[in-house]
Amino acid sequence: MTDFSTLYKKYAPEVFRFALYLSGERGQAEDITSETFVRAWTAPEPIEVTTVKGYLFTIARNLFLQGLRTRSRHVQLDQELRDPQPSPYAQAEQKAEFRAMLVGLQKLPEIDRAALLMRALDAMPYEEIARALGISLSSVKVKIHRARLALVGIRNA
């Protein structure tokens, strides 16, 4: 068969029905049918009259299987999936809080700042902080408490 129009009119409904039963979706069957005839038309070798239907069905089936392989590589994303990164607004807010905290730390007396940082960053025991700073244990506790209160006041301001 050399007349492509005749070929299409004769076999398109059958190829469509075959593709519809394979895929179960009308839109996908239409795509498979049209692609089948595009490939048959652009085939490098002529189609033999006795194998036209089988040839077209083979193309349609291969297109369907190719679509399955393609879809199996794609994963549906969960709509509730959120970016773990904070939003740009939250990032800016965190940077502003961090800068304010640094400014607040610099306003503390050096010994209070040192005691607080030793406790907060390094989890040093109060006794070790007292020895390192050369002050009493109760002074360390008071300095850390006052420093925390000062920084909370800065954060809430």
Side-chain angles (χ1 to χ4, degrees):
M1 265 188 206
T2 55
D3 186 17
F4 187 76
S5 178
T6 306
L7 178 80
Y8 182 80
K9 287 177 185 174
K10 183 174 182 182
Y11 292 107
E14 294 177 38
V15 172
F16 174 76
R17 185 175 52 250
F18 178 71
L20 181 62
Y21 289 151
L22 277 178
S23 67
E25 296 178 20
R26 183 174 185 80
Q28 190 176 0
E30 289 170 351
D31 291 344
I32 290 171
T33 302
S34 62
E35 184 65 23
T36 297
F37 283 95
V38 166
R39 290 194 182 189
W41 189 36
T42 59
E45 298 176 14
I47 303 170
E48 294 178 23
V49 176
T50 58
T51 63
V52 173
K53 189 174 184 179
Y55 179 75
L56 294 172
F57 279 17
T58 300
I59 294 173
R61 181 174 177 266
N62 288 338
L63 288 168
F64 171 73
L65 293 174
Q66 180 182 356
L68 284 180
R69 284 189 295 273
T70 302
R71 281 190 300 281
S72 71
R73 289 186 216 132
H74 296 278
V75 177
Q76 191 74 333
L77 291 178
D78 182 9
Q79 295 298 325
E80 296 300 316
L81 186 63
R82 301 205 189 275
D83 187 2
Q85 296 286 345
S87 68
Y89 176 76
Q91 287 178 349
E93 194 173 270
Q94 287 174 349
K95 285 180 182 179
E97 285 181 22
F98 180 72
R99 285 189 201 106
M101 196 62 60
L102 285 177
V103 168
L105 275 171
Q106 296 305 311
K107 289 181 181 177
L108 294 174
E110 185 278 328
I111 196 162
D112 293 3
R113 184 171 59 241
L116 176 66
L117 292 174
M118 286 180 190
R119 181 67 183 172
L121 297 180
D122 298 321
M124 289 177 69
Y126 289 111
E127 296 82 12
E128 193 174 335
I129 296 170
R131 279 193 301 273
L133 296 178
I135 57 177
S136 70
L137 179 62
S138 60
S139 287
V140 168
K141 290 180 181 181
V142 168
K143 289 184 178 303
I144 290 173
H145 178 70
R146 287 183 181 164
R148 285 179 176 160
L149 288 177
L151 291 178
V152 168
I154 290 170
R155 187 173 185 199
N156 292 334

